[in-house]
Amino acid sequence: MLLCLGCCLFIGGVQNKHQTFHDLIGGTSSDVLLVAGFALLLPGAYFSALYSSAISPNADLTLEQLYTHSLNISRGTSIILLVSFFVYLYHNVSTHATLFDKILSEEEEKLPEDGENDPQRKRPRFTFSECCVTLAVALSCVSVLAYILVREIHPIVHLTSITEQFMGLVLVPLVEKLAEHVTAVDRMIKNQANMAVFLCIAPSIQTLLLNTSLVVIVGWGLGKPMDLNFEIFMLVSLILAIIVVIHFLADGQSNYLKGWFLMTVYCIIALGSWYYPSVTINSQQDKQEN
């Protein structure tokens, strides 16, 4: 999110100097990001706050109870986030679909200098059936590539000096979102700021609300205790990144300076994750392995 949005604002600012985007795009996205960040912070904060007292000899709350409570909080939070995602989706495609369509359609209709000779306006449109087939093929290919990518993470970590935190926070998201990043930057260059910001923020919202909650819920169904007890370093990085993005989107304006500082924050987080050691996380999964 930081790198994609930062590149968009920086390159768009260099190309067009000053750009604006609709309040609905920036404001709604900021609200959802803030709520999602709060939801992901709570289970880890709960566990960290009570861990030191739970390991003491005369504690009222045992470590096993703390693991159980943290897991239950994670599962409940995941269910709430999943429901929230569908409410957010209903808001975008139903109750406020007309407004969203109007904003994004206006962006799509913007012409470059060569006007009607723009090949983008002459390209053929997919039918609904063609879209479904293309989506199914793309989803299958992405699933296979994702499986291969995840399978190779641990060998790479063990054979190189790359840490798990750097792999999870920097490399994997960079590879996963590369196509979306390129598309968003291309839209920003064409002065389609609303579309570019939407392409930057929407995947992050999907990851926070849908993907994260599905991992916990599916793991619950498979009997694998997946929780939201992330390390403090990762939680702080996430919350601060969300706060920075919200602040930069608040006025509905963009320029290259904002983009530069967003990329600066991303580089600082990447630098910290590079030196962050691969340590064992106190989670429910560790408890099961032990």
Side-chain angles (χ1 to χ4, degrees):
M1 177 174 64
L2 285 172
L3 180 61
C4 181
L5 187 59
C7 289
C8 283
L9 300 188
F10 180 78
I11 297 176
V14 171
Q15 182 76 16
N16 302 291
K17 296 189 181 299
H18 180 79
Q19 296 170 292
T20 60
F21 47 88
H22 198 278
D23 292 340
L24 183 63
I25 302 295
T28 303
S29 301
S30 299
D31 295 340
V32 177
L33 286 174
L34 188 61
V35 172
F38 167 79
L40 295 181
L41 172 65
L42 188 60
Y46 173 86
F47 185 90
S48 299
L50 298 177
Y51 180 76
S52 58
S53 60
I55 60 177
S56 61
N58 299 322
D60 295 331
L61 181 67
T62 65
L63 189 58
E64 183 177 359
Q65 290 175 328
L66 179 59
Y67 279 121
T68 302
H69 293 173
S70 178
L71 181 61
N72 291 336
I73 292 174
S74 298
R75 288 171 173 172
T77 301
S78 298
I79 294 174
I80 296 173
L81 287 179
L82 186 61
V83 174
S84 299
F85 174 77
F86 287 110
V87 172
Y88 168 74
L89 194 63
Y90 181 76
H91 170 273
N92 287 2
V93 303
S94 181
T95 58
H96 290 68
T98 304
L99 185 55
F100 270 95
D101 289 343
K102 180 181 178 181
I103 296 172
L104 298 181
S105 296
E106 290 175 354
E107 294 280 289
E108 188 70 21
E109 293 299 324
K110 286 184 178 180
L111 292 173
E113 294 180 358
D114 56 355
E116 294 297 334
N117 295 324
D118 180 21
Q120 293 293 324
R121 293 184 56 84
K122 297 181 179 180
R123 69 185 189 275
R125 303 289 183 175
F126 281 176
T127 63
F128 179 76
S129 299
E130 291 173 337
C131 290
C132 292
V133 173
T134 304
L135 182 61
V137 173
L139 182 60
S140 301
C141 295
V142 169
S143 299
V144 173
L145 292 176
Y147 173 77
I148 297 174
L149 177 64
V150 172
R151 187 182 61 181
E152 296 299 325
I153 287 179
H154 288 291
I156 292 175
V157 170
H158 287 106
L159 295 176
T160 65
S161 59
I162 299 177
T163 63
E164 292 182 357
Q165 281 67 29
F166 186 81
M167 180 71 72
L169 288 177
V170 179
L171 293 184
V172 173
L174 183 61
V175 173
E176 179 190 4
K177 306 295 184 183
L178 182 59
E180 294 167 352
H181 292 184
V182 174
T183 303
V185 171
D186 177 68
R187 294 291 184 174
M188 205 69 171
I189 293 176
K190 295 179 179 178
N191 202 24
Q192 298 177 344
N194 288 315
M195 181 69 73
V197 172
F198 183 78
L199 290 173
C200 290
I201 304 300
S204 299
I205 293 176
Q206 177 183 329
T207 300
L208 292 173
L209 294 182
L210 178 64
N211 299 356
T212 305
S213 58
L214 280 181
V215 168
V216 177
I217 295 173
V218 173
W220 186 9
L222 296 176
K224 297 183 180 296
M226 308 295 292
D227 58 30
L228 300 176
N229 181 25
F230 301 109
E231 293 187 39
I232 296 299
F233 174 79
M234 300 180 69
L235 289 175
V236 171
S237 300
L238 173 65
I239 298 303
L240 292 181
I242 290 176
I243 292 175
V244 170
V245 169
I246 290 175
H247 180 72
F248 280 19
L249 294 179
D251 59 355
Q253 302 179 4
S254 67
N255 53 61
Y256 73 90
L257 184 62
K258 287 185 176 182
W260 176 262
F261 282 123
L262 284 174
M263 292 188 292
T264 299
V265 175
Y266 175 83
C267 292
I268 293 173
I269 293 176
L271 180 63
S273 63
W274 175 263
Y275 287 101
Y276 197 89
S278 298
V279 296
T280 302
I281 306 174
N282 291 319
S283 66
Q284 187 73 9
Q285 187 174 1
D286 297 326
K287 174 178 176 287
Q288 184 189 46
E289 293 175 353
N290 295 331

